[in-house]
Amino acid sequence: MKRGQPAVPANQDIVQKPDQEALPPRRVKHPSSKQQVTKWFYNSLIFLFMALAAGLFWYGRQMSGQ
């Protein structure tokens, strides 16, 4: 027995019995939203680029006097 480790588990409910089902992996229980955030990020970059291009086009037409 190593120092710092309890001789008996603190909570007997944590110990898995042979007749119990295993818990699902954390990735299944709590899926990541990384793909959704990435999609929003790229869509916002595209929108900002289009707004910048439209704004510069409008500004150029205003300054040219047409």
Side-chain angles (χ1 to χ4, degrees):
M1 183 168 69
K2 294 183 181 179
R3 276 182 48 174
Q5 291 181 345
V8 179
N11 188 350
Q12 293 294 333
D13 295 336
I14 294 175
V15 178
Q16 186 174 350
K17 306 281 191 275
D19 58 340
Q20 290 179 338
E21 289 185 28
L23 293 174
R26 186 186 182 285
R27 289 183 184 186
V28 173
K29 188 83 170 169
H30 305 284
S32 175
S33 61
K34 187 176 181 179
Q35 289 180 342
Q36 186 177 6
V37 172
T38 303
K39 179 182 172 187
W40 277 93
F41 177 72
Y42 284 125
N43 284 342
S44 64
L45 284 180
I46 291 169
F47 173 75
L48 288 173
F49 176 75
M50 291 173 58
L52 176 66
L56 288 173
F57 182 74
W58 174 79
Y59 179 75
R61 293 200 38 114
Q62 293 293 322
M63 289 294 142
S64 69
Q66 292 182 1

